[in-house]
Amino acid sequence: MPLLRAKGFVLRNRPLGEADRLITCFTLEHGKISGVAKGAGKLRSRFGSSLQPLSLIRLMLFHKETRSLYRIDHTDILTSFQGLRDDWEKLRPALYAVDLVDALLAESDPQPRVFTLLERLLTSMAGGEAARIELWLRLFEARLLTLVGYQPLLERCSVCQRPASAAGALSAGLGGYVCRACEPGVSDAHRVSPATLRLLERAATLQWGAAERLSLSGEQQQELRQVLHELLRGHVRKEVKSYRFL
């Protein structure tokens, strides 16, 4: 049974029997994995608080090829993100972000760029103003779609392939832009403002620091939130539970 070392975010922590916990982590080296932490459910566990969701930890793991679950042997906290857990206004979007990563990533598929993106989001949330969180979360959603291969088609109509114009709609089912001519024939097409279409196109490559200089009206933020939610739900196939707390 080989010993593995990994750095990862705790995504989920669930009871397994009376004393053990089933832990899902998103690791830099091995992607999303699930493992058993023996005795982690006890009051005085050797794991302490390291297995709380959001924690960035160093893990020592054992794995048998004949088993899908790892055995978590030892953990060290790298960043606890306790400040996020202590602030409900920051905790809600942080939990939504890790739930979204959990829902979109396959098991054992390393995604180092997604890992960096999640770390950047949680670090920004922990040290930044709550007023910026909504924008950071939209940027995270847009980039996550691109990194996992679901970037919306915005350059041309998803139906007729004509080049996109300033005006048009978006279809989550088709995964992109729908022109005015094709819009009546697409049941889930929703008209979107030209400004939101431009921002959605920029968001996938926009430098993280540039988000600090963006100024969006409440109406623009709401439209961008709705558009990204529909696109994400089209790929996740179900509602991410923590979304309703945002």
Side-chain angles (χ1 to χ4, degrees), residues 103-123:
L104 283 170
L105 296 189
E107 294 280 339
S108 304
D109 179 20
Q111 293 275 358
R113 294 175 70 189
V114 175
F115 189 94
T116 300
L117 178 65
L118 180 59
E119 186 171 14
R120 187 171 291 161
L121 174 71
L122 296 183
T123 301

Side-chain angles (χ1 to χ4, degrees), residues 5-8 26-29 56-59 78 115 119:
R5 299 177 189 273
K7 173 184 177 182
F26 173 38
T27 69
L28 179 62
E29 298 85 352
L56 178 59
I57 60 177
R58 181 76 65 188
L59 305 99
L78 298 176
F115 189 94
E119 186 171 14

